């Protein structure tokens, strides 16, 4: 297989889909299939497998940046600041994908790696899943505060994402607010990271498809943020004009739809299909 990888022409790799497939195979060939110690330490698993996999979709998309390893979520820091909470504690994720808009990084993807490859520790999985819930709420809220005057119907088109590496799986979640105050966490898919080159065809195919789907959804989110920014500008201008004539007029703000201590709902349609899914909204 390694010989076939090297036979892929440079020109072919300029196609993002070809590049993604070739990169995923190369990552696995040099790590899991090669016996690299990804089962020993979480840092090794992240360094050799998870971070490179995410990097394959970032390098082919403009405006996206991948922050890896003990990334301190700016959204959580800003949430603490707004609420006048002074603490030495910070939310540190195992990675984050962001986009730069008007000189400000907007955080779009939260990554948590629950231990080394194949670790089976349910308490650790639950802890990281609950932790991610707080981070996702802060990330989505920060977008609302940034574009406070935007229309809520535009805000509902914004989706951010959570990637959870647990055991030998990579799970893809989306997070959004379909109606005021309702935060919804949806399981999009769960794929296996293969450990055997001889039987890797189907798992690699599924992994490439989900990484490509994430790439597509991130492009859609960047477009949605652009629309949200434009809505914010238009509505703010309209309010400023009206406010000069009607000083008591109060604006309709996105932040009116947010909650300080929210509930995060899981789509129950996913629960029967995934027997390892034991998280429910009461944990958030």
């Amino acid at each position: 297989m390694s010989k076939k990888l090297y036979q892929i022409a440079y020109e072919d790799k300029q196609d993002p889909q070809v590049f993604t497939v070739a990169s995923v195979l190369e990552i696995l060939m040099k790590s899991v299939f090669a016996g690299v110690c990804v089962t020993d330490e979480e840092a090794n698993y992240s360094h050799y497998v998870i971070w490179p996999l995410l990097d394959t979709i970032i390098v082919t998309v403009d405006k996206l940046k991948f922050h890896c390893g003990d990334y301190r979520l700016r959204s959580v820091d800003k949430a603490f600041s707004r609420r006048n909470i002074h603490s030495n504690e910070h939310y540190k994720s195992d990675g984050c994908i962001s986009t730069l808009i008007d000189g400000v990084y907007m955080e779009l993807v939260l990554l948590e790696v629950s231990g080394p490859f194949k670790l089976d520790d349910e308490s650790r999985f639950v802890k990281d899943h609950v932790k991610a819930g707080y981070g996702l709420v802060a990330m989505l809220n920060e977008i609302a505060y940034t574009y406070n005057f935007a229309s809520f119907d535009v805000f509902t088109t914004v989706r951010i994402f959570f990637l959870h590496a647990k055991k030998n799986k990579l799970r893809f979640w989306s997070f959004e607010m379909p109606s005021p105050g309702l935060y919804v966490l949806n399981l999009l898919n769960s794929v296996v990271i293969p450990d055997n080159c001889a039987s890797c065809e189907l798992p690699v195919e599924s992994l490439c498809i989900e990484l490509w789907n994430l790439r597509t959804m991130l492009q859609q989110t960047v477009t949605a943020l652009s629309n949200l920014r434009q809505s914010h500008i238009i509505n703010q201008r309209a309010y400023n004009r009206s406010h000069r004539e009607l000083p008591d007029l109060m604006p309709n703000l996105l932040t009116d739809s947010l909650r300080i201590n929210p509930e995060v709902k899981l789509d129950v349609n996913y629960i029967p299909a995934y027997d390892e899914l034991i998280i429910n909204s009461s944990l958030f």
Side-chain angles (χ1 to χ4, degrees):
M1 182 179 290
S2 59
K3 291 182 179 179
K4 292 182 179 179
L5 277 176
Y6 290 120
Q7 290 172 356
I8 299 176
Y10 172 81
E11 291 76 13
D12 292 333
K13 286 188 177 181
Q14 303 314 297
D15 182 316
Q17 287 185 319
V18 175
F19 174 82
T20 299
V21 174
S23 297
V24 168
L25 285 170
E26 187 173 358
I27 290 164
L28 295 176
M29 292 290 294
K30 291 181 178 180
S31 59
V32 182
F33 299 164
V36 173
C37 50
V38 294
T39 58
D40 296 341
E41 300 289 341
E42 178 182 312
N44 290 346
Y45 183 37
S46 298
H47 176 74
Y48 289 110
V49 182
I50 302 301
W51 294 339
L53 286 176
L54 293 187
D55 204 43
T56 62
I57 63 175
I58 298 307
V59 297
T60 61
V61 180
D62 293 334
K63 301 179 181 179
L64 294 181
K65 183 175 181 180
F66 180 44
H67 316 262
C68 62
D70 277 343
Y71 172 78
R72 180 170 158 179
L73 275 184
R74 295 179 173 93
S75 298
V76 172
D77 288 345
K78 291 181 179 180
F80 283 166
S81 178
R82 283 192 297 268
R83 298 174 64 181
N84 294 317
I85 297 175
H86 304 285
S87 172
N88 293 326
E89 299 295 327
H90 305 284
Y91 188 117
K92 291 186 178 181
S93 68
D94 294 313
C96 179
I97 295 174
S98 69
T99 187
L100 187 64
I101 302 177
D102 297 330
V104 178
Y105 282 110
M106 307 300 293
E107 294 159 335
L108 307 182
V109 180
L110 176 62
L111 170 68
E112 291 293 345
V113 181
S114 296
F117 185 51
K118 291 186 176 181
L119 175 71
D120 190 358
D121 185 345
E122 202 65 42
S123 63
R124 191 165 180 173
F125 303 155
V126 172
K127 178 182 177 181
D128 281 348
H129 199 105
V130 173
K131 174 187 173 185
Y134 290 103
L136 290 167
V137 169
M139 289 161 62
L140 196 61
N141 284 359
E142 181 58 28
I143 293 173
Y145 274 99
T146 302
Y147 303 115
N148 206 3
F149 281 86
S151 300
F152 184 80
D153 59 341
V154 181
F155 184 62
T156 61
T157 66
V158 175
R159 287 199 298 173
I160 59 177
F161 303 93
F162 167 44
L163 267 61
H164 192 187
K166 50 173 282 188
K167 296 184 182 178
N168 63 337
K169 295 182 179 180
L170 185 59
R171 310 189 76 190
F172 297 77
W173 299 80
S174 67
F175 190 73
E176 59 196 306
M177 183 182 288
S179 63
L182 177 61
Y183 298 81
V184 176
L185 183 64
N186 287 319
L187 178 61
L188 301 175
N189 215 331
S190 179
V191 296
V192 172
I193 305 293
D195 62 355
N196 189 323
C197 183
S199 58
C200 74
E201 182 177 350
L202 290 179
V204 167
E205 179 182 353
S206 297
L207 180 57
C208 290
I209 288 173
E210 292 311 317
L211 287 172
W212 186 262
N213 287 343
L214 177 62
R215 178 186 184 274
T216 301
M217 290 184 292
L218 280 172
Q219 289 175 308
Q220 293 169 348
T221 296
V222 170
T223 299
L225 286 175
S226 177
N227 295 336
L228 193 71
R229 175 182 178 275
Q230 189 63 23
S231 175
H232 167 79
I233 293 172
I234 293 173
N235 291 348
Q236 188 175 36
R237 287 174 179 169
Y239 171 74
N240 289 340
R241 286 194 297 266
S242 300
H243 188 255
R244 284 194 292 268
E245 299 177 4
L246 302 169
D248 294 332
L249 181 66
M250 299 299 294
N252 293 318
L253 301 177
L254 274 183
T255 48
D256 295 337
S257 301
L258 307 182
R259 301 292 182 268
I260 294 178
N261 297 303
E263 285 190 353
V264 177
K265 299 295 185 180
L266 285 168
D267 190 329
V268 295
N269 292 332
Y270 290 107
I271 294 177
Y274 294 88
D275 55 1
E276 76 271 31
L277 181 58
I278 62 168
I279 311 299
N280 60 51
S281 61
S282 63
L283 288 172
F284 290 91

